[in-house]
Amino acid sequence: DSGVTQTPKHLITATGQRVTLRCSPRSGDLSVYWYQQSLDQGLQFLIQYYNGEERAKGNILERFSAQQFPDLHSELNLSSLELGDSALYFCASSVRRDRGDTQYFGPGTRLTVL
Amino acid sequence: AQKITQTQPGMFVQEKEAVTLDCTYDTSDPSYGLFWYKQPSSGEMIFLIYQGSYDQQNATEGRYSLNFQKARKSANLVISASQLGDSAMYFCAMREGMLLGRFYFGSGTKLNVKP
């Protein structure tokens, strides 16, 4: 158990809908990262937050947004869902002083868009 | 250019033998970190080992060691005495720059350990 929690574990929804994925980082970790893993594109970095502030953006679509709250948990919002958004979404957390900023991953949320 | 390259999509190894998973990286930043993660069929991503660009010695964690060849920009993972439970997808990753820099992941290598 990495100490990073993600909810829900599974999510099935329809095209055009909006969903929210939640992540709680390890205790003491200030940084949260979001990744999308699909079969054809591997692990894609979406966005990073550090202590509530957006730190880096990757291949995140405009239909997706995220935020990190004062208690350091983070939410990833996916809207106007398309079939291609079906994927495993990971949250990871890290703290600067730990092993070169090693990221520890949550169990992931498997999103299926029908 | 790809930041992280894993050229072995799939590999087989006999139980109890050692296996090397290849990883090369591309960066012009003198400060970086290299990581290996394991993803079993259950889907979770498990951190295995870390090597900093300034570390003089190769990193080791139990049966895992990282063969760091800086001049060749390679960071191969060596698993000694393979076990059936080592069957999984393995990802090489790099953090570019100072702490809190962006992570890049390779496409992964699927390792199958045969009994």
Side-chain angles (χ1 to χ4, degrees):
Chain A
D1 185 350
S2 68
V4 180
T5 60
Q6 287 187 250
T7 57
K9 195 172 176 64
H10 299 279
L11 197 50
I12 301 175
T13 188
T15 54
Q17 295 298 303
R18 173 189 170 94
V19 297
T20 297
L21 312 183
R22 183 187 168 101
C23 167
S24 292
R26 296 187 315 160
S27 177
D29 284 3
L30 301 178
S31 230
V32 168
Y33 306 76
W34 286 98
Y35 292 89
Q36 178 192 57
Q37 186 180 35
S38 52
L39 283 175
D40 59 346
Q41 293 207 356
L43 201 65
Q44 298 288 321
F45 166 70
L46 296 178
I47 197 164
Q48 176 200 356
Y49 281 84
Y50 178 76
N51 204 19
E53 299 288 328
E54 183 183 302
R55 178 80 186 191
K57 243 180 183 177
N59 304 319
I60 189 166
L61 300 172
E62 285 193 13
R63 300 183 286 110
F64 297 0
S65 65
Q67 55 183 327
Q68 187 179 26
F69 295 87
D71 67 352
L72 300 177
H73 91 271
S74 178
E75 293 181 356
L76 178 67
N77 300 296
L78 314 176
S79 61
S80 303
L81 285 168
E82 302 175 358
L83 296 177
D85 297 327
S86 294
L88 187 55
Y89 290 84
F90 283 109
C91 164
S93 76
S94 72
V95 60
R96 290 180 63 176
R97 61 183 177 277
D98 179 57
R99 290 193 180 190
D101 198 29
T102 296
Q103 294 186 19
Y104 293 89
F105 283 74
T109 292
R110 186 167 295 281
L111 173 67
T112 302
V113 182
L114 300 175
Chain B
Q2 291 287 329
K3 289 286 187 182
I4 295 285
T5 302
Q6 294 180 253
T7 57
Q8 306 153 313
M11 287 191 70
F12 285 90
V13 65
Q14 201 70 37
E15 193 178 9
K16 298 181 185 176
E17 291 186 351
V19 62
T20 297
L21 306 184
D22 294 341
C23 173
T24 57
Y25 59 92
D26 181 32
T27 183
S28 57
D29 198 308
S31 299
Y32 53 90
L34 297 160
F35 307 79
W36 278 92
Y37 289 85
K38 172 185 178 181
Q39 186 177 36
S41 57
S42 51
E44 70 268 34
M45 292 284 283
I46 302 167
F47 164 70
L48 296 178
I49 197 166
Y50 160 76
Q51 179 88 39
S53 59
Y54 296 114
D55 294 344
Q56 296 295 315
Q57 294 190 331
N58 288 341
T60 59
E61 292 282 351
R63 293 186 299 111
Y64 304 108
S65 60
L66 199 152
N67 184 2
F68 180 43
Q69 297 188 44
K70 198 168 184 176
R72 298 179 61 184
K73 293 190 175 178
S74 75
N76 298 340
L77 178 70
V78 180
I79 305 175
S80 63
S82 297
Q83 302 172 355
L84 296 178
D86 294 334
S87 293
M89 196 76 168
Y90 289 81
F91 291 95
C92 179
M94 175 177 68
R95 185 209 70 247
E96 194 171 43
M98 297 299 289
L99 297 177
L100 296 179
R102 179 173 165 174
F103 266 62
Y104 298 90
F105 281 82
S107 54
T109 294
K110 185 161 176 59
L111 177 67
N112 284 290
V113 180
K114 298 186 292 184

